Amino acid sequence: MEDQRAGDDLTLRLDELAAGLTDPDCDLDDLAEIEEELVAARRRELIPHLERHLAAAVEAGNWYARHVLARLLAETASHTSLAALLRAYSRNLGDDQDSLSTRLHVLAQEDPAAAREILLPCAVGNDEDLRRAAIWLLGFVPEAADLNLLAHAAQDSDEGVRSAVVGTLGSHGTEPAAIDLLLNLLDDPSPQVRISALSSLGFLQQPRTLPKIRLLANDDNPRVRAWVAIALGRFPTPEPVDAATSAVLDQLAADADPYVRDQAAEARQRKPLRSY
């Protein structure tokens, strides 16, 4: 009986916290005190109430309430909170969500198999926001079998989904199929996706990708052209000179856009590239 009474009291405290998080005039110190009390308690019977309040905060567009309630849920439920936290994370409320994204990938890595059971259906579902988030988080628990899913998602109509694919492909390292998908994404209609693919390919430094990277020196978007220089500058630089890459950097160094010229100059400061 006493244990139930304590649980009921904590549920009331949670309700008090949730109400305060919607009140712009509420004392933040008082809310922080309740938050720490609930974190210390870690009462699992609070989980459904936390999930309900978290969903309501997201629906209301209250990013601060999401931040506080997501922390409480993660501390109380650990990796079993992944599905609810992923849904909360998937909605763009205008904040950077650094703490929530960190919690998500830490929880996913605690139990990769359980995380993948949640993520795989979301990654092919009808909710674009949730699809983006699930594909992103799969990058922290990757398996080779994901490449078929990623190849399909790379054709998605949603630019955000395709951008998430680029990041997750990077988790597959130099796997040839992953590199091929990144090369295909250099033809994406979105400049941001092309830039993301250039960034990943620059880090992966696979010689066979150089010809396709160099082609984007003629891209209509100046930011894409700048990222061609950045990507080329990340490749190893022993002698002898790679004439084709040198010519591209010369071209970018004379670009009409000053940012492109600056990036080409930085790439030029490295040693001449080996011929591939």
Side-chain angles (χ1 to χ4, degrees), residues 123-134:
V124 296
N126 295 324
D127 185 321
E128 288 182 351
D129 292 334
L130 197 55
R131 199 157 69 245
R132 284 194 295 269

Side-chain angles (χ1 to χ4, degrees), residues 34-51:
I34 300 173
E35 180 183 350
E36 293 311 314
E37 178 184 344
L38 294 170
V39 166
R42 286 182 168 82
R43 297 290 291 257
R44 293 192 65 82
E45 61 264 39
L46 291 178
I47 292 173
H49 303 287
L50 282 165
E51 290 179 343

